[in-house]
Amino acid sequence: MAQRATRRVRLLAATGAAVAALALTACEDGTGTRDEGASAPATTASQPATPTPTPKTSEATTGTTGTTGTGTTTGSGTAGSTPSPVSDTATKRPGSGTSRVLCNGSNTTVTAQPLSRPLNHLLLTVRNTGSRTCDLTYYPVLRFDEMQWVPQPDEATHPQAVTTLAPGESGYAGVLLSAADGSGDGGTTAEKLTVAFQGMTPNSSGGASATPPLPAKGVYYDSSLRVTYWQQDRSDALDW
């Protein structure tokens, strides 16, 4: 019996201790006692995520095409393109002396000189005053005053090559004004002379004409009027 009493005392003591422990968990706001139940496991503070390293971009080289993509810079221009090289061959320009042109009234000076020998002859002199070599093609087309016909050339004076004048050089043509024996018809005195130039084909225009001055008394001509082809040498323009 004594042993049973002792066990009961121990049981009551254990029960009282449990009740006292529950009382200690009362809320601080005065709402009374509550059973907290089993204690929750402690939460471990989360560690900050390790940042993923950003890929290191290649350093662009000026003038060198880089790789396209995020964070990659290329030199000036479109990626993957190569600038065209500048040609080192200069373009030939008019006036540079690299090509020939036609001689005419815009790039020459023309004089008309009456001669005593040969008799009744006139010497035309054309001097290249331009910066480029020019060609005197065929023969001069002459017009005295308002004449309505064109003096024809002496075919025996046809040169083997086109008369070509470098800057500063001169070309020549001879003009037979009238027959020495007076056999020509329609003789008259002219006070004005117009010299026209031909192009690359016969009877085509070669550009501006010229009006060389004549002597104050004019020059006499008749139906015998003829001209030579343009000549490189003065003597060839007079020897006919």
Side-chain angles (χ1 to χ4, degrees), residues 102 136-139 141 162 197-207:
L102 291 172
L136 281 170
T137 57
Y138 305 105
Y139 55 89
V141 178
V162 175
F197 299 83
Q198 299 190 60
M200 298 306 295
T201 57
N203 302 316
S204 64
S205 175

Side-chain angles (χ1 to χ4, degrees), residues 106-118:
S106 68
N107 55 15
T108 65
T109 57
V110 183
T111 60
Q113 178 185 0
L115 302 174
S116 57
R117 293 286 185 273

Side-chain angles (χ1 to χ4, degrees), residues 222-238:
D222 63 20
S223 60
S224 302
L225 185 61
R226 290 182 299 163
V227 298
T228 69
Y229 282 81
W230 291 112
Q231 306 294 325
Q232 202 79 48
D233 297 323
R234 184 177 186 271
S235 58
D236 293 333
L238 298 175

Side-chain angles (χ1 to χ4, degrees), residues 161-182:
V162 175
T163 298
T164 299
L165 307 179
E169 291 185 339
S170 297
Y172 309 91
V175 181
L176 173 62
L177 295 171
S178 61
D181 57 5

Side-chain angles (χ1 to χ4, degrees), residues 69-84:
T70 304
T72 303
T73 305
T74 62
S76 60
T78 305
S81 64
T82 303
S84 301

